[in-house]
Amino acid sequence: MAAMGGGVTQGQPHPPQLQQQQQPPPQQPPQQPAVEALNAAVQQQLNLEHVKIRAISLFKAISRILEDFDAYARTNTTPKWQDILGQYSMVNLELFNIVDEIRKVSKAFVVHPKNVNAENSTILPVMLSSKLLPEMEIDDNSKKEQLLQGLQNLPVASQIEKLKARIDMIAAACESAEKVLSDTRKAYGFGTRQGPTITPTLDKAQAAKIQEQENLLRAAVNHGEGLRVSGDQRQITPDLPMHLVDVLHVGDGMQNVVDASGMYQRNTPLQSNTLTAQNALLQATGAQLMGRSAASPSAGTSFDNTTASPLPYANSPRSGTNMNTPSPQQQSQQQQQQHHQHQLLQQQQQQQRPKMMPLSQHPQQLLTQQQFRQSAMPGLGQLHGQPQMQQFSQALGTHQQFQGRQMASGIGQSQLGQGNPMTRHLSQFSSAANSALFNAAQTTQNTQMIPNMSGTMPSQSLLQSRMQRTHPSQLLNDQMFNMGGANPTGMLPIQQQGTSQSAFGNMQQPNAQSLQANMVALQNNPQNHHPNFSQQRPQNQQ
Amino acid sequence: MECVVQGIIETQHVEALEILLQGLCGVQKERLRIHELHLKSGPNLGAVPSDLKILCDLEQPEPTWTVRHVGGPMRGAGADQISVLVRTMLESKASKNVLRFFYALGYKLDHELLRVGFAFHFHRGVQITVTVSSINKMLKLHATDEAVPVTPGMQLVEVTAPASSENYTEVVAAMSSFCEHLAPLLHLSKPGISTGVVPTAAAAAASLMSDGGGTTL
């Protein structure tokens, strides 16, 4: 905003003039055509010519910027803001300097516009407004009234004096208040690290009471004194609070251990059928294991951790059921249950199987699933050594049950642990445990395992190829998901059954190395299922 | 491990303490209503009885259960010098049948109390929790709705911070410096050491409760 009083004083020394600010860039040259010299004094302070030149150049700069903007608008290009801002800041600075200079001598210049006319009538009030907002004005007035109460009628000078006196009084009051505060602060030691030097003392009796209360409270919190309820009062009220209603049962003595068997029995019916079935199976195999392991309270838990692979659906459902793994006292009851649940279980296998095969890390579980889904497969890659043989034989026994269902030939539902020619093969196979084993494994091996499972055999070549490509554990997982429902159409016919039979028949001892050797021998069998790989892979890759 | 100090404050000054804590901690206060069940192990679990605390947080819409074991305090010359109690503490969330579980194991209820108040959880170098609560006892077993305060005129202030054996010195330092800020209202000490009431409490409370002046002439 530039101030431009165009004017000249006709030689008169600085009459006080109103300063006026205008928005548009200054209209430079002095309005009067007659060139009148400025007052010498003013001229010393301000070189008007100079100011004029600067103002003109400023105007030119601004108009240039405006033109640029115009061009941007017309061509629709994005302006380079960096440049523009730079130019603007320069213009701004220049303007500020000019205004500053003029302000110094603004007293000498006349007001512009001098008169109210059509063009400035609308804008003049705004320019003139030093008027406050209405609310502020009211506020101002009321405060003024308050202040000048009783003084309005006196002459201004005495008004001023009275106000001055008032101000002095207030200042004095503030000072004394400050003093008092600092004194008190010192007295009480606030703001210093040390304790108070002058402490307001408590009444002795009061202090004693407080001490007593404090001891009560601390003892109650830390040691529970004063909170113990005598035995006869320890009856569970029927109206328990919400959070305890379903936790405690009315009638259970606080002193007694909650009836464990009652709890377990109550829970088992709540399980789904599948879980119940598995539970039963778990118990069944557990019962067998029990004979071997000590009948300790932890026997129940031995199922989950160690070797209870016998379970076909062994993984998460089992861990779920392990929650309810009963203490040894419960075993006997459930062993009785298991037998009729067996039938249930086997009937439900078909539906359960797809559900029950989540990923599992447990090698034995993998094994069981594998065998279950296909025959004698890769899961074995993770097994080592003989010690697991025994359990596997049991496991395999159970597997055979399930496999039997699958089998077209219908091996039928055998009892647990039932001896079976297949068992031997399976067990031998299980102990091999090597991915190499399966790389070498030919289709025939699989079929060997379960000669009757022709309908359900997955492509052994597929398996072979997969073994070669993927890590055994991955393979297991893939297969698990794959083989949810045996896909007969995708199965390749079993081949080379005859030739490898003999070779396999030689594998009597479940020794990994020997098996491996045998496998290597078997590897020599030609593989003629390659054309089918491509078919199978995408299918099973999913 | 945890570092803990306790203090007491008269109930009349609790509001002032709340204001002070609000200003110091910069977090919202959380209401506290915890049913604490202290269990003691039976003889079948060993010669030395062990204590357990089962806490049920009743403030949540769904009560949450926690099991906590508090061990013995750190001992030794160093421990005596620090003004904060450092002790082992193990805590875990549990399902709602934790009580039945421990009863089944052979624990018996020793005593129970209800803690009603508020807490501030904030971070000041270390995570610190300040709880101000009135300790209530239940005249009838488990009757939390009819609990009465053990000391009506007095409430317990507890400042705790989790620590480990490596960093407990820092935690202790942070806690001590925080506790100093509370000095005008209350003194905090190791549990078991009584402190009495602070004489400046009334004045400090009054100043905290006032609206701070600032009226115009």
Side-chain angles (χ1 to χ4, degrees), chain A residues 193 200 210-211 213-214 216-218 221-224 227-228 234-235 241 243-244 246-249 254-255 257-258, chain B residues 6-8 35 56 58 63 65 96 100 103-104 109-111 113 135 137 141-142 144 151 156 180 193-197:
Chain A
R193 288 282 176 186
I210 287 178
Q211 182 69 22
Q213 293 266 296
E214 183 188 345
L216 257 180
L217 186 61
R218 284 183 187 264
V221 169
N222 296 325
H223 311 296
L227 299 173
R228 292 191 176 93
R234 285 193 178 191
Q235 304 297 326
H243 59 288
L244 291 173
D246 46 354
V247 176
L248 295 170
H249 290 263
M254 198 54 76
Q255 318 292 339
V257 173
V258 177
Chain B
Q6 283 176 350
I8 51 150
H35 184 191
C56 181
L58 301 174
W65 293 82
K96 65 179 180 184
R100 299 188 66 132
Y103 283 152
L109 181 72
D110 187 47
H111 62 274
L113 55 90
I135 307 294
K137 64 181 174 188
L141 199 61
H142 297 330
T144 49
T151 54
L156 185 80
E180 276 182 26
I193 298 179
S194 72
T195 55
V197 202

Short mmCIF file of all heavy atoms in Angstrom, two decimals, chain A residues 193 200 210-211 213-214 216-218 221-224 227-228 234-235 241 243-244 246-249 254-255 257-258, chain B residues 6-8 35 56 58 63 65 96 100 103-104 109-111 113 135 137 141-142 144 151 156 180 193-197:
data_model
loop_
_atom_site.label_atom_id
_atom_site.label_comp_id
_atom_site.label_asym_id
_atom_site.label_seq_id
_atom_site.Cartn_x
_atom_site.Cartn_y
_atom_site.Cartn_z
N ARG A 193 14.07 -27.99 47.23
CA ARG A 193 14.12 -29.44 47.36
C ARG A 193 13.99 -29.89 48.80
O ARG A 193 13.66 -31.01 49.10
CB ARG A 193 15.46 -29.96 46.80
CG ARG A 193 15.53 -29.88 45.29
CD ARG A 193 14.75 -31.00 44.69
NE ARG A 193 14.72 -30.93 43.24
CZ ARG A 193 14.00 -31.74 42.50
NH1 ARG A 193 13.28 -32.65 43.05
NH2 ARG A 193 13.99 -31.63 41.19
N PRO A 200 3.18 -26.91 59.51
CA PRO A 200 1.98 -26.83 60.35
C PRO A 200 1.80 -28.17 61.06
O PRO A 200 1.70 -29.20 60.42
CB PRO A 200 0.85 -26.56 59.35
CG PRO A 200 1.40 -26.97 58.04
CD PRO A 200 2.88 -26.83 58.10
N ILE A 210 -4.68 -40.99 62.27
CA ILE A 210 -4.27 -41.18 60.88
C ILE A 210 -3.28 -42.33 60.78
O ILE A 210 -3.34 -43.15 59.86
CB ILE A 210 -3.67 -39.87 60.33
CG1 ILE A 210 -4.79 -38.87 60.10
CG2 ILE A 210 -2.90 -40.12 59.05
CD1 ILE A 210 -4.33 -37.54 59.60
N GLN A 211 -2.39 -42.37 61.72
CA GLN A 211 -1.40 -43.44 61.70
C GLN A 211 -2.09 -44.80 61.78
O GLN A 211 -1.74 -45.75 61.08
CB GLN A 211 -0.46 -43.25 62.90
CG GLN A 211 0.66 -44.25 62.98
CD GLN A 211 1.65 -44.05 61.86
OE1 GLN A 211 1.74 -42.96 61.29
NE2 GLN A 211 2.38 -45.08 61.52
N GLN A 213 -5.12 -45.56 60.93
CA GLN A 213 -5.80 -45.86 59.67
C GLN A 213 -4.82 -46.34 58.62
O GLN A 213 -5.06 -47.26 57.85
CB GLN A 213 -6.49 -44.59 59.16
CG GLN A 213 -7.64 -44.11 60.01
CD GLN A 213 -8.94 -44.66 59.49
OE1 GLN A 213 -9.36 -44.35 58.39
NE2 GLN A 213 -9.57 -45.50 60.26
N GLU A 214 -3.71 -45.67 58.61
CA GLU A 214 -2.72 -46.01 57.59
C GLU A 214 -2.25 -47.45 57.78
O GLU A 214 -2.12 -48.21 56.82
CB GLU A 214 -1.54 -45.06 57.70
CG GLU A 214 -0.52 -45.31 56.62
CD GLU A 214 0.73 -44.51 56.84
OE1 GLU A 214 0.68 -43.58 57.65
OE2 GLU A 214 1.73 -44.83 56.19
N LEU A 216 -3.80 -49.86 59.15
CA LEU A 216 -4.89 -50.75 58.73
C LEU A 216 -4.87 -50.95 57.22
O LEU A 216 -4.93 -52.07 56.70
CB LEU A 216 -6.22 -50.11 59.10
CG LEU A 216 -6.96 -50.63 60.33
CD1 LEU A 216 -8.24 -49.85 60.50
CD2 LEU A 216 -7.25 -52.11 60.22
N LEU A 217 -4.80 -49.85 56.54
CA LEU A 217 -4.88 -49.89 55.08
C LEU A 217 -3.71 -50.65 54.49
O LEU A 217 -3.86 -51.52 53.65
CB LEU A 217 -4.92 -48.46 54.53
CG LEU A 217 -5.14 -48.34 53.04
CD1 LEU A 217 -6.46 -48.93 52.64
CD2 LEU A 217 -5.08 -46.88 52.61
N ARG A 218 -2.54 -50.32 54.95
CA ARG A 218 -1.37 -50.99 54.37
C ARG A 218 -1.38 -52.47 54.67
O ARG A 218 -1.03 -53.30 53.84
CB ARG A 218 -0.10 -50.34 54.91
CG ARG A 218 0.18 -49.00 54.26
CD ARG A 218 1.47 -48.42 54.77
NE ARG A 218 1.68 -47.08 54.28
CZ ARG A 218 2.40 -46.78 53.20
NH1 ARG A 218 2.98 -47.74 52.52
NH2 ARG A 218 2.55 -45.53 52.82
N VAL A 221 -3.86 -54.19 52.38
CA VAL A 221 -3.47 -54.35 50.99
C VAL A 221 -2.32 -55.34 50.85
O VAL A 221 -2.32 -56.21 49.99
CB VAL A 221 -3.04 -52.99 50.42
CG1 VAL A 221 -2.37 -53.17 49.08
CG2 VAL A 221 -4.23 -52.08 50.29
N ASN A 222 -1.35 -55.21 51.70
CA ASN A 222 -0.16 -56.01 51.49
C ASN A 222 -0.27 -57.40 52.09
O ASN A 222 0.34 -58.33 51.59
CB ASN A 222 1.05 -55.28 52.09
CG ASN A 222 1.31 -53.98 51.37
OD1 ASN A 222 1.11 -53.89 50.17
ND2 ASN A 222 1.71 -52.96 52.10
N HIS A 223 -0.98 -57.53 53.15
CA HIS A 223 -1.02 -58.83 53.81
C HIS A 223 -2.41 -59.39 53.96
O HIS A 223 -2.57 -60.53 54.38
CB HIS A 223 -0.39 -58.73 55.21
CG HIS A 223 0.94 -58.06 55.19
ND1 HIS A 223 2.01 -58.59 54.53
CD2 HIS A 223 1.35 -56.89 55.72
CE1 HIS A 223 3.04 -57.76 54.67
NE2 HIS A 223 2.67 -56.73 55.38
N GLY A 224 -3.39 -58.62 53.65
CA GLY A 224 -4.74 -59.16 53.73
C GLY A 224 -5.29 -59.24 55.13
O GLY A 224 -6.24 -59.96 55.38
N LEU A 227 -9.16 -58.81 56.36
CA LEU A 227 -10.03 -59.15 55.24
C LEU A 227 -10.43 -60.61 55.26
O LEU A 227 -11.22 -61.04 54.45
CB LEU A 227 -9.33 -58.86 53.92
CG LEU A 227 -8.93 -57.41 53.68
CD1 LEU A 227 -8.10 -57.30 52.42
CD2 LEU A 227 -10.17 -56.55 53.52
N ARG A 228 -9.81 -61.36 56.16
CA ARG A 228 -10.09 -62.78 56.12
C ARG A 228 -11.43 -63.06 56.79
O ARG A 228 -11.71 -62.56 57.87
CB ARG A 228 -8.98 -63.54 56.84
CG ARG A 228 -7.71 -63.44 56.04
CD ARG A 228 -6.63 -64.36 56.51
NE ARG A 228 -5.52 -64.22 55.60
CZ ARG A 228 -4.51 -63.39 55.79
NH1 ARG A 228 -4.46 -62.65 56.88
NH2 ARG A 228 -3.57 -63.27 54.89
N ARG A 234 -18.03 -68.44 55.09
CA ARG A 234 -17.61 -68.68 53.72
C ARG A 234 -18.60 -69.57 53.00
O ARG A 234 -18.28 -70.65 52.54
CB ARG A 234 -16.24 -69.34 53.70
CG ARG A 234 -15.15 -68.35 54.02
CD ARG A 234 -13.83 -68.94 53.68
NE ARG A 234 -12.76 -68.00 53.92
CZ ARG A 234 -11.54 -68.17 53.52
NH1 ARG A 234 -11.24 -69.27 52.85
NH2 ARG A 234 -10.61 -67.29 53.76
N GLN A 235 -19.79 -69.11 52.94
CA GLN A 235 -20.76 -69.85 52.13
C GLN A 235 -20.99 -69.05 50.87
O GLN A 235 -21.19 -67.85 50.93
CB GLN A 235 -22.08 -70.00 52.90
CG GLN A 235 -21.91 -70.64 54.26
CD GLN A 235 -21.41 -72.05 54.14
OE1 GLN A 235 -21.74 -72.76 53.20
NE2 GLN A 235 -20.59 -72.46 55.09
N PRO A 241 -21.87 -62.09 42.18
CA PRO A 241 -21.72 -61.02 41.19
C PRO A 241 -21.55 -61.60 39.79
O PRO A 241 -21.20 -62.76 39.63
CB PRO A 241 -20.46 -60.28 41.64
CG PRO A 241 -19.78 -61.20 42.58
CD PRO A 241 -20.80 -62.06 43.18
N HIS A 243 -19.47 -61.51 37.40
CA HIS A 243 -18.28 -62.13 36.85
C HIS A 243 -18.00 -63.48 37.48
O HIS A 243 -17.17 -64.23 37.00
CB HIS A 243 -17.07 -61.20 37.04
CG HIS A 243 -16.81 -60.87 38.47
ND1 HIS A 243 -17.61 -60.03 39.21
CD2 HIS A 243 -15.82 -61.24 39.30
CE1 HIS A 243 -17.13 -59.93 40.44
NE2 HIS A 243 -16.04 -60.65 40.52
N LEU A 244 -18.66 -63.77 38.54
CA LEU A 244 -18.39 -65.04 39.20
C LEU A 244 -19.51 -66.04 38.98
O LEU A 244 -19.39 -67.19 39.36
CB LEU A 244 -18.20 -64.83 40.70
CG LEU A 244 -16.93 -64.07 41.09
CD1 LEU A 244 -16.94 -63.78 42.57
CD2 LEU A 244 -15.72 -64.90 40.74
N ASP A 246 -20.81 -67.56 36.39
CA ASP A 246 -20.55 -68.76 35.63
C ASP A 246 -19.21 -69.38 35.95
O ASP A 246 -18.81 -70.37 35.35
CB ASP A 246 -20.66 -68.45 34.12
CG ASP A 246 -19.93 -67.18 33.78
OD1 ASP A 246 -19.45 -66.50 34.70
OD2 ASP A 246 -19.85 -66.85 32.58
N VAL A 247 -18.51 -68.76 36.88
CA VAL A 247 -17.22 -69.34 37.23
C VAL A 247 -17.35 -70.29 38.40
O VAL A 247 -16.81 -71.38 38.41
CB VAL A 247 -16.22 -68.21 37.58
CG1 VAL A 247 -14.93 -68.79 38.05
CG2 VAL A 247 -16.01 -67.33 36.37
N LEU A 248 -18.10 -69.84 39.35
CA LEU A 248 -18.29 -70.68 40.53
C LEU A 248 -19.68 -71.25 40.51
O LEU A 248 -20.59 -70.69 39.92
CB LEU A 248 -18.11 -69.86 41.80
CG LEU A 248 -16.71 -69.30 42.01
CD1 LEU A 248 -16.73 -68.32 43.15
CD2 LEU A 248 -15.74 -70.42 42.29
N HIS A 249 -19.83 -72.33 41.17
CA HIS A 249 -21.16 -72.91 41.24
C HIS A 249 -21.63 -72.93 42.68
O HIS A 249 -20.89 -73.32 43.58
CB HIS A 249 -21.14 -74.33 40.69
CG HIS A 249 -20.92 -74.32 39.21
ND1 HIS A 249 -21.96 -74.42 38.31
CD2 HIS A 249 -19.81 -74.18 38.49
CE1 HIS A 249 -21.47 -74.36 37.10
NE2 HIS A 249 -20.17 -74.22 37.17
N MET A 254 -16.09 -73.77 49.14
CA MET A 254 -14.86 -73.05 48.83
C MET A 254 -13.67 -73.89 49.21
O MET A 254 -12.61 -73.79 48.66
CB MET A 254 -14.85 -71.76 49.64
CG MET A 254 -13.88 -70.76 49.10
SD MET A 254 -14.16 -70.44 47.38
CE MET A 254 -15.56 -69.44 47.51
N GLN A 255 -13.85 -74.68 50.19
CA GLN A 255 -12.72 -75.44 50.68
C GLN A 255 -12.44 -76.65 49.82
O GLN A 255 -11.37 -77.21 49.89
CB GLN A 255 -12.98 -75.91 52.13
CG GLN A 255 -13.60 -74.86 53.01
CD GLN A 255 -12.66 -73.71 53.28
OE1 GLN A 255 -11.47 -73.88 53.14
NE2 GLN A 255 -13.20 -72.58 53.66
N VAL A 257 -12.01 -78.97 46.48
CA VAL A 257 -11.57 -78.92 45.11
C VAL A 257 -12.79 -79.15 44.24
O VAL A 257 -13.63 -79.97 44.55
CB VAL A 257 -10.53 -80.01 44.85
CG1 VAL A 257 -10.17 -80.07 43.39
CG2 VAL A 257 -9.30 -79.76 45.69
N VAL A 258 -12.84 -78.43 43.20
CA VAL A 258 -13.97 -78.61 42.29
C VAL A 258 -13.91 -80.01 41.73
O VAL A 258 -12.84 -80.52 41.44
CB VAL A 258 -13.89 -77.59 41.15
CG1 VAL A 258 -15.01 -77.82 40.17
CG2 VAL A 258 -13.97 -76.19 41.73
N GLN B 6 4.22 -47.25 47.64
CA GLN B 6 2.84 -47.02 48.07
C GLN B 6 2.78 -45.78 48.93
O GLN B 6 3.75 -45.42 49.59
CB GLN B 6 2.35 -48.21 48.89
CG GLN B 6 1.99 -49.41 48.09
CD GLN B 6 1.62 -50.57 48.97
OE1 GLN B 6 1.80 -50.53 50.18
NE2 GLN B 6 1.10 -51.62 48.37
N GLY B 7 1.63 -45.19 48.92
CA GLY B 7 1.43 -44.04 49.80
C GLY B 7 -0.03 -43.96 50.15
O GLY B 7 -0.87 -44.64 49.56
N ILE B 8 -0.32 -43.11 51.07
CA ILE B 8 -1.72 -42.94 51.45
C ILE B 8 -2.11 -41.49 51.28
O ILE B 8 -1.27 -40.58 51.35
CB ILE B 8 -1.97 -43.37 52.90
CG1 ILE B 8 -0.96 -42.66 53.82
CG2 ILE B 8 -1.87 -44.85 53.06
CD1 ILE B 8 -1.52 -42.43 55.17
N HIS B 35 -11.59 -56.77 41.35
CA HIS B 35 -11.87 -57.73 42.42
C HIS B 35 -10.64 -58.61 42.55
O HIS B 35 -10.28 -59.33 41.63
CB HIS B 35 -13.10 -58.56 42.02
CG HIS B 35 -13.53 -59.52 43.07
ND1 HIS B 35 -14.47 -60.49 42.84
CD2 HIS B 35 -13.16 -59.66 44.37
CE1 HIS B 35 -14.65 -61.18 43.96
NE2 HIS B 35 -13.87 -60.70 44.89
N CYS B 56 -9.79 -59.70 38.82
CA CYS B 56 -10.85 -59.64 37.83
C CYS B 56 -11.19 -58.18 37.60
O CYS B 56 -11.62 -57.48 38.53
CB CYS B 56 -12.09 -60.39 38.30
SG CYS B 56 -13.40 -60.35 37.09
N LEU B 58 -13.44 -55.55 36.65
CA LEU B 58 -14.88 -55.43 36.47
C LEU B 58 -15.28 -54.20 35.69
O LEU B 58 -16.45 -53.98 35.45
CB LEU B 58 -15.57 -55.39 37.85
CG LEU B 58 -15.32 -56.60 38.73
CD1 LEU B 58 -15.90 -56.38 40.10
CD2 LEU B 58 -15.93 -57.83 38.10
N PRO B 63 -15.76 -58.95 31.85
CA PRO B 63 -14.71 -59.00 32.88
C PRO B 63 -13.49 -59.77 32.39
O PRO B 63 -13.62 -60.84 31.81
CB PRO B 63 -15.38 -59.75 34.03
CG PRO B 63 -16.83 -59.67 33.77
CD PRO B 63 -17.01 -59.54 32.30
N TRP B 65 -9.74 -61.47 33.33
CA TRP B 65 -9.09 -62.08 34.47
C TRP B 65 -7.59 -62.06 34.28
O TRP B 65 -7.08 -62.28 33.17
CB TRP B 65 -9.56 -63.52 34.63
CG TRP B 65 -10.98 -63.63 35.02
CD1 TRP B 65 -12.06 -63.56 34.19
CD2 TRP B 65 -11.49 -63.82 36.33
NE1 TRP B 65 -13.22 -63.71 34.92
CE2 TRP B 65 -12.90 -63.87 36.23
CE3 TRP B 65 -10.91 -63.96 37.59
CZ2 TRP B 65 -13.72 -64.05 37.34
CZ3 TRP B 65 -11.73 -64.14 38.68
CH2 TRP B 65 -13.13 -64.18 38.55
N LYS B 96 -11.70 -67.09 32.08
CA LYS B 96 -12.52 -66.87 33.26
C LYS B 96 -12.61 -68.07 34.17
O LYS B 96 -13.08 -67.95 35.28
CB LYS B 96 -13.92 -66.43 32.83
CG LYS B 96 -14.67 -67.48 32.08
CD LYS B 96 -16.05 -66.97 31.72
CE LYS B 96 -16.80 -68.04 30.96
NZ LYS B 96 -18.08 -67.56 30.51
N ARG B 100 -11.53 -71.57 38.99
CA ARG B 100 -11.84 -73.00 39.13
C ARG B 100 -10.59 -73.83 38.96
O ARG B 100 -10.35 -74.81 39.65
CB ARG B 100 -12.84 -73.43 38.08
CG ARG B 100 -14.16 -72.73 38.16
CD ARG B 100 -15.09 -73.38 37.19
NE ARG B 100 -15.38 -74.73 37.59
CZ ARG B 100 -16.59 -75.25 37.64
NH1 ARG B 100 -17.61 -74.51 37.34
NH2 ARG B 100 -16.78 -76.49 37.98
N TYR B 103 -8.56 -73.63 42.07
CA TYR B 103 -9.21 -74.41 43.11
C TYR B 103 -8.97 -75.89 42.88
O TYR B 103 -8.76 -76.67 43.80
CB TYR B 103 -10.71 -74.13 43.14
CG TYR B 103 -11.07 -72.83 43.79
CD1 TYR B 103 -12.22 -72.15 43.42
CD2 TYR B 103 -10.27 -72.27 44.78
CE1 TYR B 103 -12.58 -70.96 44.01
CE2 TYR B 103 -10.61 -71.07 45.36
CZ TYR B 103 -11.76 -70.42 44.98
OH TYR B 103 -12.10 -69.24 45.55
N ALA B 104 -9.03 -76.25 41.63
CA ALA B 104 -8.81 -77.66 41.30
C ALA B 104 -7.40 -78.09 41.64
O ALA B 104 -7.15 -79.23 42.02
CB ALA B 104 -9.09 -77.90 39.82
N LEU B 109 -9.01 -69.94 48.87
CA LEU B 109 -9.12 -68.49 48.99
C LEU B 109 -8.63 -68.04 50.35
O LEU B 109 -9.11 -68.50 51.38
CB LEU B 109 -10.59 -68.09 48.80
CG LEU B 109 -10.83 -66.59 48.88
CD1 LEU B 109 -10.28 -65.91 47.64
CD2 LEU B 109 -12.30 -66.29 49.02
N ASP B 110 -7.69 -67.13 50.33
CA ASP B 110 -7.18 -66.61 51.58
C ASP B 110 -7.97 -65.36 51.99
O ASP B 110 -8.48 -65.25 53.09
CB ASP B 110 -5.70 -66.28 51.43
CG ASP B 110 -5.07 -65.89 52.74
OD1 ASP B 110 -5.32 -66.61 53.73
OD2 ASP B 110 -4.36 -64.88 52.79
N HIS B 111 -8.02 -64.42 51.10
CA HIS B 111 -8.85 -63.25 51.36
C HIS B 111 -9.13 -62.59 50.02
O HIS B 111 -8.50 -62.90 49.02
CB HIS B 111 -8.18 -62.27 52.32
CG HIS B 111 -6.89 -61.69 51.79
ND1 HIS B 111 -5.69 -62.31 51.95
CD2 HIS B 111 -6.63 -60.55 51.11
CE1 HIS B 111 -4.74 -61.57 51.39
NE2 HIS B 111 -5.29 -60.51 50.87
N LEU B 113 -10.44 -58.70 48.12
CA LEU B 113 -10.75 -57.30 48.33
C LEU B 113 -11.16 -56.69 46.99
O LEU B 113 -10.94 -57.27 45.93
CB LEU B 113 -9.54 -56.55 48.92
CG LEU B 113 -8.21 -56.60 48.20
CD1 LEU B 113 -8.07 -55.47 47.19
CD2 LEU B 113 -7.08 -56.49 49.21
N ILE B 135 -9.64 -49.28 49.14
CA ILE B 135 -9.63 -50.72 49.30
C ILE B 135 -10.89 -51.10 50.07
O ILE B 135 -11.12 -50.59 51.17
CB ILE B 135 -8.39 -51.16 50.10
CG1 ILE B 135 -7.14 -50.59 49.45
CG2 ILE B 135 -8.31 -52.65 50.21
CD1 ILE B 135 -6.86 -51.14 48.10
N LYS B 137 -13.57 -54.09 51.53
CA LYS B 137 -13.69 -55.50 51.91
C LYS B 137 -15.14 -55.92 51.78
O LYS B 137 -16.06 -55.10 51.85
CB LYS B 137 -13.19 -55.71 53.33
CG LYS B 137 -14.00 -55.00 54.38
CD LYS B 137 -13.43 -55.24 55.75
CE LYS B 137 -14.17 -54.40 56.79
NZ LYS B 137 -13.53 -54.47 58.09
N LEU B 141 -19.09 -63.37 51.38
CA LEU B 141 -18.18 -63.90 50.39
C LEU B 141 -18.56 -63.46 48.97
O LEU B 141 -19.68 -63.64 48.53
CB LEU B 141 -18.21 -65.42 50.46
CG LEU B 141 -17.02 -66.12 49.84
CD1 LEU B 141 -15.76 -65.71 50.54
CD2 LEU B 141 -17.21 -67.61 49.95
N HIS B 142 -17.62 -62.87 48.31
CA HIS B 142 -17.77 -62.48 46.91
C HIS B 142 -18.83 -61.42 46.66
O HIS B 142 -19.19 -61.17 45.52
CB HIS B 142 -18.11 -63.67 46.02
CG HIS B 142 -17.02 -64.69 46.00
ND1 HIS B 142 -15.70 -64.38 46.15
CD2 HIS B 142 -17.07 -66.03 45.85
CE1 HIS B 142 -14.98 -65.48 46.10
NE2 HIS B 142 -15.77 -66.50 45.92
N THR B 144 -19.34 -58.38 45.89
CA THR B 144 -18.63 -57.17 45.51
C THR B 144 -19.54 -55.95 45.50
O THR B 144 -19.07 -54.83 45.61
CB THR B 144 -18.03 -57.32 44.10
OG1 THR B 144 -19.03 -57.82 43.23
CG2 THR B 144 -16.87 -58.28 44.13
N THR B 151 -10.77 -48.47 55.17
CA THR B 151 -10.53 -47.20 55.86
C THR B 151 -11.25 -46.12 55.05
O THR B 151 -10.76 -45.67 54.03
CB THR B 151 -9.02 -46.89 55.89
OG1 THR B 151 -8.52 -46.93 54.57
CG2 THR B 151 -8.28 -47.88 56.75
N LEU B 156 -5.46 -45.56 49.01
CA LEU B 156 -4.11 -46.02 48.75
C LEU B 156 -3.64 -45.51 47.39
O LEU B 156 -4.38 -45.55 46.43
CB LEU B 156 -4.08 -47.54 48.76
CG LEU B 156 -2.70 -48.16 48.61
CD1 LEU B 156 -1.99 -48.13 49.94
CD2 LEU B 156 -2.82 -49.58 48.11
N GLU B 180 8.62 -37.40 43.32
CA GLU B 180 8.93 -36.11 43.92
C GLU B 180 7.90 -35.06 43.54
O GLU B 180 7.61 -34.16 44.31
CB GLU B 180 10.31 -35.65 43.47
CG GLU B 180 11.43 -36.22 44.30
CD GLU B 180 12.77 -35.70 43.86
OE1 GLU B 180 12.81 -34.59 43.30
OE2 GLU B 180 13.76 -36.41 44.07
N ILE B 193 6.39 -49.71 54.86
CA ILE B 193 6.95 -48.59 55.62
C ILE B 193 5.89 -47.49 55.63
O ILE B 193 5.46 -47.03 54.58
CB ILE B 193 8.24 -48.07 54.95
CG1 ILE B 193 9.27 -49.18 54.95
CG2 ILE B 193 8.75 -46.85 55.68
CD1 ILE B 193 10.57 -48.78 54.31
N SER B 194 5.51 -47.10 56.79
CA SER B 194 4.42 -46.12 56.83
C SER B 194 5.00 -44.72 56.72
O SER B 194 6.12 -44.43 57.13
CB SER B 194 3.62 -46.28 58.12
OG SER B 194 4.36 -45.82 59.21
N THR B 195 4.20 -43.86 56.16
CA THR B 195 4.69 -42.52 55.86
C THR B 195 3.95 -41.44 56.62
O THR B 195 4.46 -40.36 56.79
CB THR B 195 4.49 -42.21 54.38
OG1 THR B 195 3.10 -42.40 54.08
CG2 THR B 195 5.31 -43.11 53.51
N GLY B 196 2.75 -41.70 56.98
CA GLY B 196 1.97 -40.63 57.56
C GLY B 196 1.46 -39.71 56.47
O GLY B 196 1.70 -39.90 55.28
N VAL B 197 0.77 -38.71 56.93
CA VAL B 197 0.20 -37.76 55.98
C VAL B 197 1.16 -36.59 55.85
O VAL B 197 1.90 -36.26 56.76
CB VAL B 197 -1.16 -37.24 56.48
CG1 VAL B 197 -1.96 -36.73 55.32
CG2 VAL B 197 -1.90 -38.32 57.21
#
